[in-house]
């Protein structure tokens, strides 16, 4: 199989149309068999439920080429389970979790020529999503849905290395109490667009959202979970019913405990604690870990001892261990690395 003739080392983090995508439709109470198609376009009625009442959810994961030439992806079963949770909360039909993983395999195999080579720094980003497709004018769930997966090759999220970010405490709330913050719904990301545009205009890289009930506890950013390292080297992650359960964060917790021997605390993190932490980062599929150097709180600055030049030492060990597992350089826990092609 010959790879596409791309400048793999200089890819940006953007959308590029690959050859194939997966499509399955839900009608009359059941999913069809699904298929691989070359058509990248979707034709829908103007009154489709996705347009009128935002019934849409999605996932994100990556495929990699390992040093020994295998094509693998990372814990797709957890993406399948999380998408099932999102669908249930939005009154959408669950796409069976075993079929989700199988569909990921099929679309990656079909696009094997688009999977970047080992050592290029690039990966194949995989975007499964589901939308309501039939006309809905009354406020109710749709009757028909489409599940799709497309892929696109992407370069490193941070060109030239991950420099620590400066983030601001947002005056907006990311999620409502007992709302949809814990699922990967498109509507959650739509409401975060205005705050992030405002943050960028003010010279910040991201927002820190506090809990919507008391605004005393750290939640997450618009698209990533927070991680912290204490001065006595404990690994701390915020816990809340309105935080998206990041697969990267859950994996880092296990890496911290089992590979690095750190004490791991998954608990409520109060904003007033931040000044006592040694390191801070954001974690997610795109960048794995983005270091945070400074938090701006309405005229006051919280500067982490790890500084504004590079990742803190513990954060770097976490990053290198997890990416080493993903790329097949370090033996990971059973089932973490899912082999698609040998």
């Amino acid at each position: 199989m010959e790879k596409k003739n791309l400048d793999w080392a200089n890819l940006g983090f953007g959308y590029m149309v690959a050859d194939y995508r997966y499509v399955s439709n839900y009608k009359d109470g059941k999913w069809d068999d699904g298929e691989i198609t070359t058509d990248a376009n979707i034709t829908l009625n103007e009154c489709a439920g996705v347009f009128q009442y935002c019934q849409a959810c999605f996932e994100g994961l990556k495929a990699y080429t390992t040093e020994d030439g295998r094509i693998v992806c990372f814990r797709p079963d957890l993406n399948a389970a999380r998408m099932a949770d999102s669908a249930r909360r939005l009154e959408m039909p669950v796409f069976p979790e075993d079929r989700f993983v199988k569909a990921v395999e099929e679309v990656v195999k079909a696009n094997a020529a688009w999977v970047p080579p080992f050592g290029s720094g690039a990966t194949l980003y995989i975007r499964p999503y589901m939308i309501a497709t039939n006309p809905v004018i009354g406020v109710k769930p749709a009757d028909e849905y489409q599940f799709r997966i497309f892929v696109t090759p992407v370069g490193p999220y941070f060109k030239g290395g991950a420099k620590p970010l400066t983030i601001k405490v947002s005056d907006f709330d990311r999620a409502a109490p007992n709302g949809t913050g814990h699922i990967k719904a498109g509507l959650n990301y739509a409401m975060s667009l205005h705050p992030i545009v405002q943050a960028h205009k003010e010279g910040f890289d991201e927002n820190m959202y506090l809990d919507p009930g008391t605004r005393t506890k750290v939640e997450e950013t618009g698209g990533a979970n927070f991680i912290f390292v204490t001065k006595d080297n404990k690994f701390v992650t915020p816990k809340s019913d309105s935080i998206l359960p990041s697969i990267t964060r859950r994996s880092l917790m296990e890496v911290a405990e089992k590979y690095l021997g750190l004490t791991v605390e998954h608990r409520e993190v109060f904003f007033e604690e931040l000044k006592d932490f040694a390191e801070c980062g954001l974690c997610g599929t795109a960048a794995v870990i983005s270091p945070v150097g400074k938090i701006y709180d309405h005229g006051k600055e919280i500067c982490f001892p790890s500084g504004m030049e590079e990742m803190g030492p513990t954060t770097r060990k976490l990053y290198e261990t997890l990416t080493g597992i993903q790329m097949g350089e370090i033996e990971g826990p059973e089932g973490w690395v899912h082999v698609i092609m040998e």
Side-chain angles (χ1 to χ4, degrees):
M1 181 272 304
E2 188 175 344
K3 295 288 186 184
K4 296 291 180 178
N5 184 24
L6 299 177
D7 185 4
W8 300 107
N10 291 301
L11 286 179
F13 198 89
Y15 172 68
M16 185 181 298
V17 183
D19 294 329
Y20 302 101
R21 62 274 313 137
Y22 178 91
V23 182
S24 180
N25 290 290
Y26 180 90
K27 188 175 182 179
D28 299 327
K30 61 178 187 286
W31 289 102
D32 65 17
D33 292 337
E35 64 176 353
I36 295 291
T37 176
T38 58
D39 190 357
N41 298 306
I42 303 172
T43 301
L44 293 175
N45 184 273
E46 62 189 351
C47 196
V50 64
F51 301 140
Q52 305 309 319
Y53 302 119
C54 300
Q55 268 190 294
C57 58
F58 70 98
E59 278 297 324
L61 62 161
K62 292 177 177 178
Y64 313 79
T65 302
T66 60
E67 192 169 13
D68 59 7
R70 296 178 300 163
I71 294 177
V72 305
C73 62
F74 187 68
R75 308 188 79 177
D77 55 316
L78 295 189
N79 293 96
R82 190 169 65 180
M83 190 165 197
D85 289 340
S86 297
R88 292 186 191 99
R89 178 63 177 81
L90 296 173
E91 286 297 330
M92 303 172 80
V94 170
F95 193 75
E97 293 179 31
D98 58 336
R99 287 192 58 191
F100 178 105
V101 175
K102 183 69 175 172
V104 167
E105 293 175 350
E106 287 182 26
V107 78
V108 172
K109 285 178 181 176
N111 290 291
W114 292 90
V115 181
F118 177 79
S120 64
T123 55
L124 187 73
Y125 189 81
I126 306 166
R127 172 54 61 88
Y129 62 106
M130 189 193 305
I131 57 174
T133 53
N134 68 293
V136 180
I137 196 66
V139 181
K140 62 178 182 178
D143 300 312
E144 298 174 10
Y145 298 84
Q146 188 169 98
F147 171 82
R148 297 177 71 98
I149 304 177
F150 70 80
V151 301
T152 184
V154 295
Y157 199 73
F158 295 107
K159 285 284 188 184
K163 289 293 185 183
L165 308 176
T166 300
I167 64 179
K168 64 170 287 191
V169 177
S170 180
D171 292 322
F172 294 92
D173 291 328
R174 176 188 162 269
N178 304 311
T180 58
H182 64 293
I183 64 168
K184 208 164 175 64
L187 57 92
N188 292 343
Y189 295 79
M191 60 72 54
S192 75
L193 296 178
H194 176 65
I196 192 62
V197 168
Q198 289 299 110
H200 288 165
K201 284 180 180 177
E202 295 168 17
F204 300 102
D205 298 300
E206 253 293 1
N207 287 293
M208 169 179 280
Y209 292 106
L210 303 179
D211 73 289
T214 69
R215 294 190 59 80
T216 61
K217 291 170 281 191
V218 175
E219 294 236 313
E220 61 173 290
T221 68
N225 282 190
F226 277 101
I227 59 173
F228 299 100
V229 178
T230 66
K231 290 175 182 174
D232 58 354
N233 224 28
K234 292 177 181 174
F235 182 66
V236 180
T237 62
K239 183 178 183 180
S240 165
D241 290 339
S242 56
I243 291 177
L244 184 74
S246 164
I247 293 165
T248 305
R249 186 262 300 163
R250 285 181 276 175
S251 302
L252 285 168
M253 289 170 64
E254 198 163 336
V255 166
E257 182 179 11
K258 296 183 178 177
Y259 286 74
L260 303 185
L262 304 179
T263 298
V264 174
E265 296 178 353
H266 183 50
R267 59 171 175 81
E268 291 184 334
V269 174
F270 287 85
F271 183 75
E272 63 184 19
E273 293 182 68
L274 296 188
K275 65 184 184 302
D276 300 320
F277 289 129
E279 300 175 34
C280 174
L282 310 178
C283 66
T285 298
V288 182
I289 298 178
S290 311
V292 174
K294 188 186 299 182
I295 295 172
Y296 184 84
D297 176 27
H298 301 88
K300 295 176 290 185
E301 288 186 347
I302 300 169
C303 301
F304 295 101
S306 51
M308 291 298 297
E309 294 303 315
E310 58 185 10
M311 282 187 181
T314 300
T315 302
R316 180 166 294 284
K317 288 178 186 174
L318 288 162
Y319 174 83
E320 290 175 349
T321 305
L322 184 58
T323 55
I325 291 170
Q326 290 175 334
M327 301 302 293
E329 298 169 301
I330 297 173
E331 184 71 26
E334 184 176 355
W336 277 26
V337 175
H338 184 87
V339 178
I340 295 175
M341 293 181 68
E342 296 283 359

